[in-house]
Amino acid sequence: MRAEPQAAAYQADPQIPSLAEWLGDPVKPADFPRHQLRFRNRRWDKTVGLGDLSDDQWVDHFARFSPLPDNLPQPLALRYHGHQFRVYNPEIGDGRGFLFAQMRDGSGRLLDCGTKGSGRTPYSRTADGRLTLKGAVREILATEMLEALGVNTSKTFSVVETGEALERGDEPSPTRSAVLVRLSHSHIRIGTFQRLAVLEEDEHLRALVDYCLRQFPGPPPPEDAPGRDEPAVMLMHQAVERMADLAASYMVAGFVHGVLNSDNMNITGESFDYGPWRWLPLWEPGFTAAYFDHAGLYAFGRQPEAINWNLAQLAIALRRIADAPPLVGAIERFGDLYHRAMSRRFTWRLGVASRGIEADFALIEAAERTMRERRIGPDAFFFAHRGGRAAEGQLAERLQGYEPVDASHPYWSGEAPEAMLIEEVEAIWSAIADEDDWEPLSRKVTALRDMGRALGPVPDPAGHV
């Protein structure tokens, strides 16, 4: 759930070294010709006790990668495999990023600082290990919009322009370069487990399960769940709960990730790794984000299926250290958990109190029909009908009996909602590319955070009907 970040003291707690010998490789960051700070997340730097760093100190740590006090002495490029568009690939890993530091926030959560565009690693293959500045700007926009919409997402923590001219086939080249740091609740992926299973490293697989249960605790499996006391089964149930919620959050946000490969699925259910993402201009289940997704495998409406399929790959990996039936039993919970999350999240964004799954899904059906028939996108729909206002026809009928929540925030009386359609994304980038004008990006981030405050926190699932 999204919560307002709280300031905390810096608390280094590098936990990954206990696994490092078989989970990653020490690497050196690239030596960049330039270090110009372009984005510093003043919303989140205080949560890990780094709000008092000067900009020069910030750049030293997050562009030159001088180790943070009492933290990892050297960056670690993580090893993993994964299914990419349902084809298994053992030749992947952190190819342009690494784990730089681990810290606790004020609530005790272990958070990772991971990079993107920080240089070549043993897994770079023929790539240059770099990130375009446009890619970094797009990640800022994606994570800020998703956070505002209540999605459990990594946070873009830092972007520093690095002064290199990059050649890319999908951007006008040469193009500007950057190094990005993201703040995440773990970088352990489904593909991390897959690699250990394929290599038959069962003891390491058990150690990784124990690490995840210890560092990312979650609710226990249901009382009647077979094998509920087995560590691998416990982790499987937690992953299913988290990813069912992630799938629902994408759908309610109208977001298309674009590349839901198993190496892009975080065991904590946290969305990350933003490449060809898009937001829906209209409510179209077949809408795709990636130009190379010719079969529509990761189309908007297929995202729950894709996430569930990836969970099955996790179960296959864990089958080496647990019996199959309890793992299958955990996966079979996905549908019900997804529907509950949809019910809770859809009514939250619409600004009404949930009346239970049956009533809520009748409301969702009427809302989808309204969006399709009137050719209105989800951002405009939720804004126009906040708290049930301006509803007509079947939608108005379905909203009878729903109690509106507080809509006093000035955002709801504005002329139009915040959105993140591709035309605005390109306009924000063009201002930077053509005139080095960062003000449109700054204004957008401010506006998105204001929208997030207007929406408020997503209701906790424990309190849902």
Side-chain angles (χ1 to χ4, degrees), residues 322-346:
D323 292 334
L327 298 172
V328 172
I331 294 175
E332 288 175 342
R333 297 179 62 210
F334 182 88
D336 179 65
L337 289 166
Y338 170 74
H339 288 139
R340 290 180 179 276
M342 278 293 295
S343 168
R344 173 171 46 87
R345 286 180 169 274
F346 199 97

Side-chain angles (χ1 to χ4, degrees), residues 346-347 349-352 355 359-374 376-378 380-403:
F346 199 97
T347 50
R349 192 176 181 192
L350 192 56
V352 295
R355 293 181 57 209
D360 291 350
F361 264 79
L363 174 61
I364 292 171
E365 183 182 5
E368 291 179 346
R369 181 180 296 109
T370 298
M371 284 187 276
R372 287 194 305 268
E373 292 178 352
R374 298 186 183 178
I376 179 174
F381 170 82
F382 284 110
F383 184 82
H385 299 93
R386 176 73 178 179
R389 64 186 183 184
E392 300 176 350
Q394 188 185 64
L395 180 63
E397 294 176 12
R398 295 301 187 189
L399 278 164
Q400 289 181 5
Y402 275 87
E403 180 182 353

Side-chain angles (χ1 to χ4, degrees), residues 23 84 128 158 184 232 237 246 275 291-292 381 411 413 448 455:
L23 194 68
Q84 298 184 312
D128 61 12
S158 172
S184 295
H237 277 278
L246 176 64
Y291 68 87
F292 45 83
F381 170 82
Y411 174 81
S413 58
L448 292 174
L455 281 163

Side-chain angles (χ1 to χ4, degrees), residues 10-134:
Y10 173 72
Q11 185 182 354
D13 193 10
Q15 292 289 321
I16 207 74
S18 65
L19 316 178
E21 183 179 347
W22 45 268
L23 194 68
D25 298 271
V27 293
K28 293 182 178 180
D31 184 10
F32 298 114
R34 177 182 172 194
H35 304 90
Q36 185 167 4
L37 181 59
R38 294 300 195 180
F39 178 80
R40 174 176 175 172
N41 198 325
R42 291 288 189 178
R43 180 176 164 86
W44 281 95
D45 61 1
K46 299 176 183 64
T47 65
V48 288
L50 298 176
D52 292 335
L53 291 180
S54 69
D55 283 353
D56 286 343
Q57 291 172 318
W58 185 272
V59 168
D60 188 50
H61 289 304
F62 297 118
R64 297 185 183 92
F65 296 103
S66 299
L68 285 164
D70 302 318
N71 225 300
L72 295 179
Q74 188 171 356
L76 193 69
L78 300 183
R79 307 171 185 173
Y80 46 86
H81 293 177
H83 280 89
Q84 298 184 312
F85 286 84
R86 305 278 168 96
V87 177
Y88 195 77
N89 185 356
E91 303 296 329
I92 51 179
D94 280 341
R96 58 172 174 171
F98 49 62
L99 181 60
F100 172 64
Q102 292 184 297
M103 301 157 285
R104 299 282 172 181
D105 67 7
S107 63
R109 289 191 313 159
L110 183 66
L111 296 176
D112 291 355
C113 277
T115 66
K116 193 173 183 179
S118 50
R120 289 180 57 81
T121 77
Y123 311 103
S124 300
R125 292 175 287 175
T126 61
D128 61 12
R130 283 2 187 218
L131 172 68
T132 68
L133 183 61
K134 182 177 183 180

Side-chain angles (χ1 to χ4, degrees), residues 161-191:
E161 188 168 359
T162 52
E164 296 178 312
L166 305 179
E167 296 290 332
R168 292 291 185 268
D170 56 354
E171 289 186 38
S173 297
T175 189
R176 292 154 71 176
S177 61
V179 62
L180 179 147
V181 178
R182 64 166 68 105
L183 191 66
S184 295
H185 188 35
S186 163
H187 279 79
I188 305 298
R189 310 155 189 254
I190 288 178

Side-chain angles (χ1 to χ4, degrees), residues 283-322:
W283 190 266
E284 296 178 356
F287 183 89
T288 57
Y291 68 87
F292 45 83
D293 187 4
H294 303 295
L297 182 64
Y298 298 143
F300 172 66
R302 297 185 67 182
Q303 289 181 123
E305 170 200 341
I307 291 172
N308 196 17
W309 190 91
N310 284 317
L311 283 167
Q313 308 319 302
L314 175 62
I316 291 169
L318 294 176
R319 174 63 184 85
R320 293 195 60 84
I321 59 172

